[in-house]
């Protein structure tokens, strides 16, 4: 499934439990800065892993743990942090998204435009697992003066 414009408020899309739709809602909520909507896509026992070497490396649990330890911290350190999802590969409950991050580091003024892959597992209409794959050196370089 390639990137398509899906109306965020569309009731059929908003109610869909199809794995790709759940993941797409997560990206839309993140881009809109709607952390409540993002948390609504996550299972209560979600495991969200940011890659070793990434500034926020680690595994976070609970929807609140994910948004407070990842999304809110990215917003503190970066202007315009956005994950642009462009290609979806779906196999049952597994969804791999090829994407890119764009942002400008607040401390250095350096920008990034880096390719990433995200692997999601969706069960019962909620994301139960996430794993990030990214060139951490490009992100860290933008953070160095």
């Amino acid at each position: 499934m390639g990137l398509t414009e899906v109306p965020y408020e569309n009731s059929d899309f908003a109610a869909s439990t199809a794995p790709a739709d759940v993941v797409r809602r997560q990206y839309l909520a993140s881009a809109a800065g709607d952390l409540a909507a993002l948390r609504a896509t996550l299972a209560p026992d979600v495991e969200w892993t940011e890659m070793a070497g990434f500034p926020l490396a680690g595994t976070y649990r609970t929807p609140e743990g994910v948004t407070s330890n990842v999304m809110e911290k990215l917003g503190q350190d970066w202007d315009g942090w956005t994950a642009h999802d462009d290609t979806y590969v779906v196999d049952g409950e597994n969804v791999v998204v090829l994407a890119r991050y764009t942002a400008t580091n607040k401390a250095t003024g350096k920008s990034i435009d880096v390719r990433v892959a995200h692997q999601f597992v969706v069960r019962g209409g909620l994301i139960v697992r996430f794993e990030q794959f990214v060139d951490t050196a490009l992100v860290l370089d933008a953070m160095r003066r």
Side-chain angles (χ1 to χ4, degrees):
M1 174 175 149
L3 176 65
T4 57
E5 290 300 317
V6 179
Y8 187 49
E9 293 81 19
N10 176 304
S11 60
D12 290 339
F13 173 71
S16 173
T17 60
D21 290 344
V22 173
V23 170
R24 179 72 177 131
R25 282 197 305 272
Q26 180 272 149
Y27 282 103
L28 290 170
S30 179
D34 187 344
L35 297 184
L38 192 149
R39 284 189 292 271
T41 67
L42 304 177
D45 59 347
V46 66
E47 289 186 6
W48 187 281
T49 301
E50 298 287 316
M51 189 169 173
F54 191 71
L56 303 174
T59 298
Y60 304 96
R61 290 171 176 81
T62 78
E64 293 76 18
V66 170
T67 55
S68 65
N69 289 297
V70 179
M71 288 71 182
E72 289 178 20
K73 290 191 180 193
L74 288 171
Q76 291 169 3
D77 296 336
W78 299 86
D79 281 323
W81 184 277
T82 305
H84 306 270
D85 53 326
D86 58 32
T87 303
Y88 284 58
V89 180
V90 181
D91 181 18
E93 65 185 14
N94 296 291
V95 180
V96 174
V97 180
L98 303 179
R100 63 188 170 88
Y101 293 147
T102 58
T104 301
N105 186 267
K106 290 180 180 181
T108 66
K110 294 180 182 178
S111 295
I112 60 166
D113 186 343
V114 60
R115 294 293 292 165
V116 299
H118 293 155
Q119 193 265 331
F120 296 86
V121 176
V122 180
R123 288 189 194 119
L126 296 172
I127 297 166
V128 297
R129 192 166 55 240
F130 165 88
E131 188 171 1
Q132 170 203 57
F133 301 91
V134 62
D135 185 342
T136 58
L138 292 176
V139 177
L140 294 173
D141 185 56
M143 299 175 74
R144 293 189 185 106
R145 293 186 187 267

